[in-house]
Amino acid sequence: MQIATLFLASLVMHGPAKLEIKDIVVGKGAPAQAGDLLVVDYTGTLLSGTKFDSSKGGAPFAFELGAGQVIPGWDKGMAGMRVGGKRSLVIPSEMAYGDAGSGPIPPKSTLKFEIELYRIDKKGAKPAITMSTTKPGTGAGAKTGDTIFVHYRGSYLNGTGFDNSYDRKQPLKVTIGTTRLIAGFTQGLEGMKMDEKRTVIIPSALAYGPGGRGPIPPNMALKFELWRVVGENQ
């Protein structure tokens, strides 16, 4: 009995000898490969169940797969994931923070991560917004040089909001092609009719890029819900 107890304690302390990958939800589309930009939510725990980090409730995390921007267990363990997928990783210390540990993570710790993949921007692909109309409008579509008013809600791909015009009770006044906005936001307004509502997903390359801005982390794709209104008092 004592030997069994000691053996179990050794497993808990040292964890598995190799990376363990388990797909909870497989997801759809092309698999993630080295060089792709991924946007994920994650929660990290020790084998004891103690949580040491999580992106939930805030901005997701974006990184280039295979570029050494994350621990080796992530670079290897995230390969092959598809958008909408959820994956569990159990990462031995040799592929995590090793003998040194990091912050709340003790030395030689095996780590467990639950990860959800929201987006893949494929290496070398031309950046483009994706857009859907949620309410049709009327009249002529907005074009370069037109001045329009638009309400918006900005959020990350996990639904956490970072800015909206409704809190200020005033829509944004935009002269298309003149007002300085991120490129993807301007593109999302083009052709918009009066009272139309749109949802626009903007890749990082057409938003704030690798530098980020304010609360928006580097390499972050953004979601905007847009509504073209009559004027400033809407």
Side-chain angles (χ1 to χ4, degrees):
M1 183 67 177
Q2 185 177 9
I3 294 175
T5 301
L6 289 172
F7 178 67
L8 179 59
S10 176
L11 283 177
V12 172
M13 181 178 295
H14 298 294
K18 63 179 182 178
L19 175 67
E20 294 184 4
I21 302 171
K22 180 182 179 181
D23 280 314
I24 302 166
V25 177
V26 172
K28 298 180 180 180
Q33 299 175 319
D36 293 345
L37 184 64
L38 311 187
V39 179
V40 304
D41 253 338
Y42 68 91
T43 297
T45 61
L46 305 177
L47 286 186
S48 64
T50 300
K51 181 169 71 174
F52 60 83
D53 193 17
S54 179
S55 62
K56 299 293 183 68
F61 177 62
F63 70 101
E64 181 184 335
L65 186 64
Q69 298 175 356
V70 291
I71 58 175
W74 267 48
D75 267 339
K76 185 173 181 179
M78 295 288 290
M81 275 196 82
R82 302 170 191 269
V83 172
K86 296 181 181 180
R87 180 171 284 188
S88 172
L89 302 179
V90 180
I91 303 176
S93 65
E94 294 83 359
M95 300 182 72
Y97 297 100
D99 293 342
S102 178
I105 300 171
K108 300 182 183 298
S109 292
T110 296
L111 307 180
K112 182 175 181 180
F113 287 92
E114 300 289 338
I115 301 170
E116 182 173 2
L117 178 58
Y118 294 118
R119 182 180 177 90
I120 300 174
D121 286 301
K122 301 300 291 182
K123 181 180 180 180
K126 183 178 179 180
I129 65 172
T130 56
M131 185 168 59
S132 61
T133 298
T134 55
K135 179 186 176 184
T138 58
K143 62 184 184 302
T144 299
D146 289 348
T147 297
I148 66 172
F149 295 87
V150 60
H151 267 304
Y152 67 90
R153 288 189 178 91
S155 63
Y156 303 114
L157 300 187
N158 63 1
T160 301
F162 59 83
D163 188 24
N164 77 78
S165 62
Y166 296 91
D167 286 348
R168 295 184 290 276
K169 297 180 172 58
Q170 187 173 23
L172 179 67
K173 182 180 179 180
V174 179
T175 300
I176 297 178
T178 300
T179 303
R180 294 184 62 185
L181 300 167
I182 58 174
F185 194 102
T186 298
Q187 291 176 19
L189 297 177
E190 292 170 354
M192 200 171 191
K193 298 179 179 181
M194 187 62 65
D195 203 33
E196 182 178 345
K197 293 184 178 181
R198 290 179 173 180
T199 298
V200 180
I201 307 296
I202 304 175
S204 166
L206 298 177
Y208 296 103
R213 183 176 178 181
I216 299 172
N219 297 315
M220 191 57 58
L222 304 176
K223 176 181 177 180
F224 284 93
E225 298 172 28
L226 307 175
W227 176 28
R228 183 180 172 184
V229 295
V230 174
E232 295 177 280
N233 297 322
Q234 295 295 311

